[in-house]
Amino acid sequence: MTRDLQRAQAAFSATVRERRGKFERSASRLNPEPLVRRQRQATERVGDLARRGDQALALLLERGRTRLAHADRLLATLKLSDQSILDRGYALVIDADGKLIKRAAEVAQGAELTLKFADGTAQATGGALRLKSTRPAPKPKDPGNQGSLF
């Protein structure tokens, strides 16, 4: 049995020497420099992406500001704001709840109304409904001499 034990110890020692040699050869090839270089490159890429993101966001904000300024100028040019419409002689009719009245049919008899003009407001009371069309009456259709199609 001692002979088997000696053989086992010798095999174990040989295996340990072989593995230790492989380990030492592998350990000599290990170098943290490639990892450090990759980390540095990744850090630079993240910094570049952050700068590009900041530039893109600044560009989007500037474009939004420009579009808003153009829309504001267009609105001022077309004079579509509430005040510019009132300045042209129109009035806003507002009911007691603060809702805008758009049609004469929406005014109830005796309803308290506020009329908003360019230079101020006035109070009014809704009266009887008299609808008068502002559109010209349609022309009567002339049947013509088309005749039968069949």
Side-chain angles (χ1 to χ4, degrees):
M1 180 132 74
T2 59
R3 187 171 167 203
D4 288 338
L5 183 58
Q6 288 174 348
R7 284 177 56 195
Q9 285 177 341
F12 178 73
S13 296
T15 302
V16 167
R17 274 192 306 273
E18 179 186 343
R19 300 269 170 96
R20 182 170 283 144
K22 283 183 180 180
F23 175 76
E24 287 174 356
R25 285 190 299 275
S26 297
S28 67
R29 289 189 311 224
L30 292 177
N31 186 357
E33 184 57 35
L35 292 174
V36 170
R37 189 175 338 119
R38 284 180 60 194
Q39 182 182 11
R40 196 175 313 123
Q41 289 171 346
T43 302
E44 289 173 7
R45 272 188 291 188
V46 167
D48 290 343
L49 290 174
R51 279 189 295 280
R52 286 175 57 194
D54 290 344
Q55 289 172 349
L57 186 59
L59 182 63
L60 283 173
L61 286 173
E62 183 58 35
R63 285 181 183 169
R65 284 188 200 106
T66 302
R67 288 179 63 202
L68 184 61
H70 287 301
D72 187 45
R73 272 188 259 140
L74 180 63
L75 186 62
T77 301
L78 296 176
K79 297 185 179 182
L80 295 176
S81 69
D82 288 350
Q83 188 59 42
S84 64
I85 291 172
L86 295 175
D87 287 339
R88 285 186 271 166
Y90 292 94
L92 294 176
V93 180
I94 302 167
D95 68 6
D97 296 331
K99 293 189 304 186
L100 183 66
I101 303 293
K102 298 178 185 176
R103 308 252 183 267
E106 296 177 24
V107 177
Q109 178 75 25
E112 292 296 321
L113 303 173
T114 301
L115 305 178
K116 184 175 179 184
F117 298 97
D119 61 347
T121 61
Q123 298 299 318
T125 303
L129 177 64
R130 285 182 281 156
L131 294 177
K132 181 179 177 185
S133 177
T134 57
R135 296 182 183 167
K139 296 179 183 177
K141 293 186 179 182
D142 182 24
N145 294 330
Q146 183 174 354
S148 175
L149 296 176
F150 297 103

